[in-house]
Amino acid sequence: MNENTTHQAAELEALRQEIHALRRDREDRIRCESICNAAMGEALKQNHPDDEINCFLASIGRALDVDRIYIFEDDFAADETSNTYEWCAANVNPEIENLQDIPRNVVTWWYDRFAQGADIHIPDLEAIKDSEPASYSYLAPQGIHALIAKRIVLGESVIGFFGVDNPRLELMSDISMFLDTMSNFISSLIRNRNIFRSHETRYIEELEQKNTELNRALRSANEANAAKTLFLSNMSHDIRTPMNAIVGMTEIASSHIDDKNRVQDCLRKIMIAGRHLLGLINDVLDMAKIESGKMQLQPENISLRETMNTICGITRVQIKEKAQQLDIFISNILCENVLCDPLRLNQVMLNLVSNAIKYTQENGSICLRLWQEPSPKGDAFIRTHIAVSDTGMGMSEDFIRTIFDAFTREDVRRVQKTQGTGLGMAITKNIVDSMGGVIDVQSALGKGSTFHVTLDLRRVEDAEATVQLPAWKILVVDDSEEFCRSTAETLASLGTRPQWCTDGQTALELLEDAHRRGEDFFAVLVDYRMPGMNGIETTKRIHALLGEKTPVEMISAYDWSDVEADVQAAGIAGFVAKPLFRSTLYRELSRFVPDSSNAPSAQPGDEDACLTGRRVLLAEDNDINAEIASVILEELGIETERAADGAIAAEMFSRSAPGYYDVILMDLRMPRMNGFEATAAIRALAREDAAAVPIIAMTADAFAEDMKKCLSAGMNAHMAKPIDIDHLKKTLIRFIGAQP
């Protein structure tokens, strides 16, 4: 065999060896992929990504017959790496707990090689003892004598590494190749785990948020249920209390029917209990309307003067019963007439004043203040402040935080005898909110409370806003300096020249000095109740000093009936109830202007005469209600004819002569034809008075929506049952009092 033949044979053998190696490498890779695929198949049967990775490592570790297989992941923010997953052979101790938060500088050279795309092969750990002491100090205590580690890449970044400890030396190259195949599987598993964790984190956050919301809702529901349970318990007590008074006083009156004084006392107490019971019912019904979102405001032009007078008139009886002092202050009133829901504004003010009276001891003080300022909403609005203060028991800080919640009452001994639903302040807050206003409270135990309401109300043009009086000298006498100052400011705006003092003796000295100088005061406004020399005594001394040529007007927060006898005996020129609005002072003082068209102010009680002889058609199906209304109307001098339902009422009106009935009082819920249908039938009649006759709804449907429905149906006004005699009288006077 020649040399060429020998060379060719050697090349052929080398080629056969290379082909064999490639075939073996290919077979090894196929075998590696087969093992990895089998391991991945087992892993994917798990329910959680962490379990998938642990299962995969266990399958590979057993296949490679190594001591330990692991994954390390980096914390780039902390520049640390930690052992996150680990599988150990049966006779090998786990190290995962000891390999947390390892500074990356311990294995800096590993990451340098990873950055170059290289792996870590350490066939003999002792060989790096001197060159890499930091790595050696971590590895040697774990019983490691050899290892292989490869980088884990996600995207373009190295996020950690995985490897095996103590592989068989003769198989290190094969295991290294196997790990190359395994790296893609590791990256895939970690990527899936990261995606799962991202979704899991969001899910957990959402779940925690929902749990928080559910817990909050559950607490609110439990608190609401507890509050309503307590409310029902309180209501059971608070309803039974006036009912017991009504039933008990009725029985006492029946058993003492011949004792007029005893019967009158019983009837008075029955009236008080009945009104209290009505207040409880109204609160519950109002809260039901508010919670269902059905409460609607019905704004109309109103007078703040009339509103304040109404509130004062209603609460004076309560004030008198508890011998309390009511102070009323108004100041800087820029616009008396505003656009507002009168029913709801009255309700807010009445709730605040009634609560102050209720929770203030006998002989305590209540103060009602009203003032205005320009509104930030513009010139079309006026910012109106209402404040109610008292010297009562006050509230704890804990209760102040919940005072505007429904069904809440401070459950302490000092208020246990005070009846109520715990709804008044919740209703008040909801009404103020619906008006776009703000209400706040300041209180201290044993020192009293102050509630402050702020409303931006639309202005209404007032014809009396620019009226003036002559430049009279007028003296204001009141023991309250605040009242004197505000009244003097109002009088000055009317063009007069006011002076003021705070006691009767000083007033006499000012009047005497002015008389001596020939500069007499034109009139004197003197408060009824003052310490030392009261208003009556002061008036008598003024008359003794000057005669009766100087008019003395009595001013007071008390009702006319409380001071009538004293005032008339003292020769007072007139009586003016506080608060003193600009229009109040003008109307009272302008009657002294020569040739004034203003008639003298009418004394209370004179207005009843204008109702005498009037005729009312009463449409009412309930016999007891009809009897009550008929008796009340007869006591006002009004003739009453009853119709038992709407159809009869329409027929009686159609058969009557034009103008025969002055007014119709119409119930709404009646058989055959209800009040709305009866009103429509009457208005549709072809006669001159059908459209003009006042029709006033008198019904137990008492909400603002019911009032609106009545007005839309062609009625002129709405009155809620039970009948308030004063309200009925004023309503009738408004519609028929001026008729010929």
Side-chain angles (χ1 to χ4, degrees):
M1 183 178 299
N2 59 32
E3 184 177 344
N4 287 337
T5 301
T6 301
H7 179 70
Q8 289 175 353
E11 287 182 346
L12 184 60
E13 180 62 25
L15 181 59
R16 279 200 298 269
Q17 293 290 335
E18 185 177 352
I19 291 172
H20 178 72
L22 290 172
R23 184 181 293 117
R24 190 182 67 177
D25 182 67
R26 179 172 176 276
E27 289 173 353
D28 287 344
R29 290 188 181 279
I30 292 173
R31 183 172 63 85
C32 289
E33 288 180 0
S34 177
I35 294 172
C36 287
N37 283 332
M40 181 65 83
E42 289 299 315
L44 294 178
K45 294 178 182 179
Q46 308 304 310
N47 295 323
H48 194 278
D50 288 333
D51 296 332
E52 292 176 356
I53 295 174
N54 284 322
C55 179
F56 183 76
L57 293 182
S59 297
I60 299 301
R62 285 189 290 267
L64 297 180
D65 190 24
V66 295
D67 285 0
R68 185 169 173 266
I69 184 169
Y70 46 80
I71 294 174
F72 278 73
E73 294 180 72
D74 297 336
D75 181 349
F76 296 102
D79 199 28
E80 296 173 341
T81 188
S82 295
N83 189 180
T84 52
Y85 299 95
E86 172 189 67
W87 174 85
C88 297
N91 59 340
V92 177
N93 293 326
E95 294 289 345
I96 189 168
E97 292 184 2
N98 302 322
L99 299 174
Q100 302 298 311
D101 305 326
I102 300 172
R104 283 182 46 162
N105 59 17
V106 172
V107 287
T108 301
W109 66 283
W110 289 32
Y111 284 94
D112 290 342
R113 289 185 61 82
F114 291 153
Q116 298 169 8
D119 301 329
I120 303 298
H121 283 244
I122 304 178
D124 182 5
L125 185 65
E126 294 299 321
I128 68 167
K129 182 176 182 179
D130 296 328
S131 60
E132 300 294 339
S135 297
Y136 181 84
S137 66
Y138 265 95
L139 299 173
Q142 301 175 47
I144 297 172
H145 54 75
L147 65 81
I148 302 172
K150 294 183 178 289
R151 64 182 185 167
I152 302 173
V153 179
L154 286 183
E156 301 295 328
S157 303
V158 176
I159 58 98
F161 60 88
F162 70 99
V164 296
D165 289 344
N166 300 331
R168 292 164 57 183
L169 295 179
E170 67 274 17
L171 297 177
M172 282 194 71
S173 61
D174 292 336
I175 292 175
S176 179
M177 179 188 66
F178 190 95
L179 296 182
D180 284 340
T181 303
M182 181 180 162
S183 65
N184 289 332
F185 289 88
I186 293 289
S187 297
S188 176
L189 287 169
I190 290 178
R191 183 183 298 107
N192 290 341
R193 182 210 63 187
N194 290 347
I195 293 172
F196 177 86
R197 284 183 178 178
S198 174
H199 289 295
E200 183 181 45
T201 300
R202 286 198 298 270
Y203 173 76
I204 290 174
E205 290 175 351
E206 291 175 0
L207 187 61
E208 288 177 347
Q209 182 178 355
K210 289 180 180 178
N211 284 339
T212 300
E213 292 173 355
L214 287 172
N215 286 332
R216 187 183 299 117
L218 180 60
R219 283 195 303 271
S220 297
N222 288 336
E223 290 171 359
N225 286 335
K228 288 184 179 181
T229 300
L230 180 60
F231 161 74
L232 291 174
S233 175
N234 289 337
M235 280 298 294
S236 175
H237 169 269
D238 290 347
I239 288 178
R240 288 175 185 273
T241 298
M243 282 301 300
N244 180 64
I246 292 170
V247 173
M249 287 296 110
T250 301
E251 291 180 355
I252 292 173
S254 298
S255 62
H256 295 78
I257 198 68
D258 295 327
D259 187 342
K260 180 179 179 181
N261 293 332
R262 189 68 176 270
V263 170
Q264 286 179 337
D265 182 63
C266 289
L267 292 176
R268 182 183 64 83
K269 291 174 180 175
I270 289 171
M271 177 66 73
I272 293 171
R275 286 177 176 172
H276 176 68
L277 183 59
L278 179 62
L280 295 177
I281 294 170
N282 285 340
D283 277 354
V284 174
L285 296 179
D286 261 341
M287 199 65 219
K289 279 282 185 179
I290 289 169
E291 288 189 334
S292 65
K294 293 181 179 179
M295 189 191 78
Q296 298 178 358
L297 297 179
Q298 306 293 331
E300 59 183 76
N301 295 349
I302 67 168
S303 163
L304 291 176
R305 171 177 55 80
E306 292 179 1
T307 300
M308 290 285 283
N309 288 341
T310 298
I311 299 302
C312 293
I314 292 173
T315 57
R316 278 191 181 106
V317 174
Q318 298 170 273
I319 291 282
K320 183 179 179 182
E321 287 176 350
K322 296 186 72 172
Q324 295 167 335
Q325 179 175 339
L326 175 63
D327 292 316
I328 305 169
F329 300 111
I330 61 171
S331 61
N332 199 38
I333 302 301
L334 307 176
C335 183
E336 288 189 22
N337 295 336
V338 294
L339 187 68
C340 185
D341 185 323
L343 177 65
R344 296 306 179 186
L345 181 60
N346 283 355
Q347 192 172 3
V348 167
M349 296 179 67
L350 193 56
N351 276 346
L352 295 179
V353 177
S354 295
N355 261 16
I357 296 170
K358 186 189 302 183
Y359 294 105
T360 299
Q361 68 282 3
E362 291 186 0
N363 300 309
S365 297
I366 316 293
C367 182
L368 172 60
R369 284 184 167 84
L370 176 71
W371 72 98
Q372 292 179 329
E373 62 180 333
S375 171
K377 295 180 69 173
D379 293 340
F381 294 84
I382 185 71
R383 173 154 288 185
T384 302
H385 299 269
I386 302 164
V388 178
S389 303
D390 63 64
T391 59
M393 59 183 66
M395 295 174 285
S396 65
E397 292 184 6
D398 289 340
F399 182 66
I400 289 174
R401 286 192 287 269
T402 62
I403 188 172
F404 296 118
D405 296 342
F407 310 111
T408 57
R409 295 178 66 192
E410 190 158 23
D411 188 20
V412 294
R413 289 182 179 274
R414 59 201 180 90
V415 299
Q416 285 178 353
K417 291 185 178 181
T418 304
Q419 298 174 9
T421 61
L423 294 175
M425 286 298 102
I427 293 170
T428 299
K429 177 71 163 58
N430 275 278
I431 293 173
V432 172
D433 287 346
S434 66
M435 289 180 170
V438 177
I439 181 171
D440 57 50
V441 57
Q442 294 181 340
S443 184
L445 283 174
K447 296 183 179 179
S449 305
T450 297
F451 287 85
H452 180 194
V453 175
T454 304
L455 300 170
D456 289 298
L457 303 175
R458 187 173 289 276
R459 291 172 177 263
V460 173
E461 290 298 325
D462 183 3
E464 293 184 340
T466 58
V467 294
Q468 294 284 295
L469 292 171
W472 294 327
K473 283 181 61 179
I474 296 177
L475 180 61
V476 180
V477 188
D478 193 289
D479 59 305
S480 168
E481 183 175 329
E482 181 178 354
F483 175 83
C484 287
R485 289 184 184 278
S486 64
T487 303
E489 289 174 3
T490 305
L491 287 168
S493 74
L494 285 167
T496 68
R497 295 175 293 142
Q499 286 184 247
W500 59 269
C501 62
T502 57
D503 62 86
Q505 185 59 47
T506 303
L508 291 172
E509 293 171 1
L510 289 172
L511 289 165
E512 185 177 9
D513 180 65
H515 181 67
R516 189 168 48 248
R517 291 184 284 106
E519 299 175 358
D520 286 326
F521 284 90
F522 178 80
V524 181
L525 304 180
V526 60
D527 185 32
Y528 173 76
R529 180 178 178 178
M530 296 186 295
M533 189 187 302
N534 64 26
I536 298 299
E537 181 62 27
T538 301
T539 300
K540 291 178 179 178
R541 295 198 183 187
I542 291 173
H543 288 162
L545 176 67
L546 304 175
E548 297 190 6
K549 65 176 183 178
T550 301
V552 178
E553 296 275 337
M554 186 64 67
I555 54 178
S556 177
Y558 290 85
D559 187 68
W560 164 254
S561 60
D562 296 330
V563 301
E564 180 179 5
D566 290 341
V567 169
Q568 290 181 340
I572 300 293
F575 175 80
V576 189
K578 294 180 180 179
L580 302 186
F581 282 82
R582 190 176 192 276
S583 58
T584 307
L585 290 168
Y586 175 76
R587 292 181 182 185
E588 183 62 27
L589 295 174
S590 62
R591 62 193 181 95
F592 297 111
V593 177
D595 301 324
S596 171
S597 59
N598 291 279
S601 56
Q603 295 295 332
D606 294 348
E607 53 203 11
D608 293 359
C610 64
L611 297 177
T612 302
R614 301 293 184 178
R615 187 177 291 107
V616 168
L617 173 57
L618 174 64
E620 173 61 71
D621 64 310
N622 184 282
D623 291 338
I624 294 178
N625 288 342
E627 181 180 356
I628 293 171
S630 297
V631 171
I632 292 173
L633 292 169
E634 288 171 7
E635 289 181 351
L636 293 174
I638 297 174
E639 297 179 20
T640 305
E641 295 183 10
R642 179 198 174 194
D645 60 46
I648 296 174
E651 183 179 357
M652 289 176 64
F653 183 83
S654 66
R655 290 181 177 179
S656 67
Y660 180 77
Y661 292 112
D662 295 293
V663 67
I664 300 173
L665 298 180
M666 184 75 72
D667 187 25
L668 297 185
R669 303 193 185 205
M670 296 181 290
R672 292 210 300 162
M673 181 182 288
N674 64 34
F676 297 111
E677 295 167 338
T679 298
I682 291 171
R683 296 298 189 208
L685 293 173
R687 48 186 284 175
E688 60 187 35
D689 61 342
V693 62
I695 301 178
I696 300 171
M698 196 161 66
T699 173
D701 296 327
F703 289 112
E705 294 76 17
D706 302 316
M707 182 188 302
K708 183 178 181 181
K709 189 176 179 181
C710 290
L711 297 178
S712 299
M715 300 184 196
N716 300 87
H718 172 282
M719 293 185 59
K721 294 176 181 176
I723 300 171
D724 183 306
I725 298 177
D726 287 339
H727 186 204
L728 173 62
K729 182 168 66 175
K730 290 177 182 178
T731 302
L732 292 174
I733 290 171
R734 178 157 62 98
F735 285 103
I736 63 176
Q739 294 179 4

